[in-house]
Amino acid sequence: MSELSELYQEVILDHNKSPRNFHRLADANRRAEGYNPLCGDQITVYVKVEDDVIKEISFEGSGCAISKASASMMTDSLKGRTTAEAEALFDRVHKMLKGEVNPGDDSHDLGKLAVLSGVCHFPARVKCASLSWHTLRTALKREKEVASTE
Amino acid sequence: MKPAQGVIAPQGLRTGRTVLDVARIREDFPILKQQVHGKPLVYFDNAATSQKPQVVIDTLNRYYATENANIHRGIHFLSELATAEYEETRNKVKRFLNASESREIVFVRGTTEGINLVAQSYGRRFFKEGDEVVISAMEHHSNIVPWQMLCEQVGARLRVIPMNHDGELLLDEYERLLGARTKLVSVAHVSNALGTINPIGRIIESAHRRNIPVLVDGAQAAPHMKVDVQELDCDFYAFSGHKLFGPTGIGVLYGKARHLEAMPPYQGGGDMISLVTFEKTHYNIIPYKFEAGTPHIAGVIGLGAAIDYVSGIGLDAVAAYEGEVLAYATAQLSTIQGLRIIGRAKEKASVLSFVLEGVHPHDIGTVLDREGVAIRAGHHCAMPVMQRFGVPATARASFAFYNTGEEVDVLVRAVRKVLKVFG
């Protein structure tokens, strides 16, 4: 598989075309906006947290296929997880995007998110894939309103 | 040009009575012989920065290897040599812009610094609360933010000339913006995001009828067309060396002598003074008043080599040839379904911005890169322009005189590949 087709795998193109959980969440109690000043990608992540568990999660915004698919898959994989688990998963995803883990290694527990591992061959696109995760972290910490990949 | 043939004769396009021998010109640019991702490099990101001819690279090398010294101070051979070359470049720039005096040429880091210099020096001296500065809807951030900073400092107001859906400024609206409070007009000669060539002659005339000075952001114009500051009668003109086939970190601010003389220094330091005591400092004469600290001497001398190189080709021939490349690329890209060109002004130069239905420009950029085609994808430091056209970003191909019709064909094939990947 060429690096390009490894980047744009069917699963990613599918999430880009039909993003999951792509809407506002009316009863969200955490919310943050993320912005990538390099390319203009914009995202809002909504989370409903109860007893430290992510009950509901969704997103809105505009961006490239990588950022949209990554956000879509993130929301899919975090429903029902604790906020601490979400944090830990972000660390593993980030390592994968930077090419620091082997996606075949099950101990990292990346699940479906492993299809994003091709991003590591495209350093300029790492920020696209991590934007939604940075935004989620901001939402969970409620440290500030706008997250940035910078 | 015959688009049906699919190529512009690469070995020599006839533009009027001048022949531009592009095949030979390409030999002057070592980087163009490179492959990226196993494909020949097609460099279409010239609006971001241009490539450098060997003569510029050699000049930088020669300067550091045999002439390096500080200028305007050493009483030794090398310093005198470096000073002479540095000041000779000022004369070259004067001739290049057809300025009336070389003391009207100030060396700065680039267009951005040139505009900031005028905003902070001219602006802070002459603007008062309630005054207005007029810019346009298609400005680069570097011709927006310095004025916003000034407005915040002195309580002035920013006014914006609107544009139509083709990316042309609405001159009637512009006339209405000019008034007793207008202290300065600052507009791009050529838009970096849309390619529009603005009618700056008319813009300057209207402002001058009301005694309002005009700054022209020439970053995207100077590499593509002849600029005559006396004919334009502009008050300030700024451009960057690196977009003009010269080194990065060097640029030019032209200013009419009477303005520069009335303006306070922008930065303090060495070279910009004539006498310093702890009680009072007397400033140097123009242009040195604005060149504090050891300047980018190598950059200036390299810029001189770039100006010689471009002048040798001739900017009229460059403009004619690039016009044909742009027309050919526009025609070819227009045949792709779902592709929309952003910026359809009648007068355009060297920039082709487009979007593809259902595909984000960033993804276009990545696929094109793997085909060896370098373009820019993003907001091009002109976010208000993106907002005006209702797109988050565009893909932008921008041309120089070393680009060819065959390269445009590679671009078109690569864009079709994008559609295949995302089909």
Side-chain angles (χ1 to χ4, degrees), chain B residues 17-158:
Chain B
R17 292 169 59 197
T18 321
V19 172
L20 209 55
D21 189 346
V22 177
R24 223 197 57 77
I25 284 172
R26 289 178 69 83
E27 289 294 312
D28 297 335
F29 290 81
I31 209 167
L32 298 179
K33 300 180 182 87
Q34 258 194 114
Q35 297 214 330
V36 293
H37 304 302
K39 308 269 171 67
L41 169 67
V42 173
Y43 188 76
F44 281 161
D45 198 15
N46 293 287
T49 195
S50 63
Q51 297 302 345
K52 320 303 172 200
Q54 189 65 50
V55 64
V56 168
I57 300 166
D58 288 346
T59 300
L60 292 174
N61 196 43
R62 191 199 66 218
Y63 168 73
Y64 280 124
T66 66
E67 297 165 9
N68 179 54
N70 212 327
I71 56 167
H72 297 149
R73 62 200 75 187
I75 312 182
H76 57 78
F77 177 79
L78 289 183
S79 176
E80 284 172 5
L81 191 62
T83 304
E85 279 218 64
Y86 183 88
E87 290 303 328
E88 177 47 31
T89 300
R90 206 186 297 277
N91 287 323
K92 281 180 191 172
V93 176
K94 174 204 156 232
R95 290 193 293 272
F96 183 70
L97 293 177
N98 193 33
S100 59
E101 303 176 70
S102 59
R103 65 191 184 116
E104 295 179 316
I105 305 301
V106 179
F107 289 119
V108 289
R109 276 187 300 154
T111 310
T112 298
E113 190 177 49
I115 296 171
N116 275 281
L117 190 160
V118 177
Q120 287 303 308
S121 170
Y122 185 92
R124 288 183 88 167
R125 164 76 40 110
F126 297 111
F127 274 62
K128 290 181 201 63
E129 198 176 335
D131 284 344
E132 294 177 352
V133 55
V134 172
I135 62 169
S136 90
M138 65 176 80
E139 297 309 319
H140 187 283
H141 295 163
S142 58
N143 197 23
I144 302 174
V145 183
W147 304 114
Q148 286 176 328
M149 289 165 66
L150 172 68
C151 286
E152 218 161 89
Q153 287 157 349
V154 302
R157 200 152 80 104
L158 195 64

Side-chain angles (χ1 to χ4, degrees), chain A residues 3-4 7-8 13 16-17 35-41 62-66 121-125 128, chain B residues 37 358-367 369-371 376-379 383 392-393 417 421-423:
Chain A
E3 285 178 348
L4 196 64
L7 179 70
Y8 293 120
L13 295 178
N16 174 46
K17 248 187 190 159
Y35 184 63
N36 184 344
L38 270 182
C39 55
D41 286 358
S62 71
C64 63
I66 302 302
H121 301 300
F122 297 80
R125 308 302 299 275
C128 308
Chain B
H37 304 302
V359 189
H360 192 278
H362 228 175
D363 296 309
I364 301 174
T366 289
V367 177
D369 175 53
R370 293 285 149 156
E371 297 298 308
R376 169 99 189 255
H379 51 58
M383 291 172 75
K417 181 162 182 188
V421 172
F422 286 88

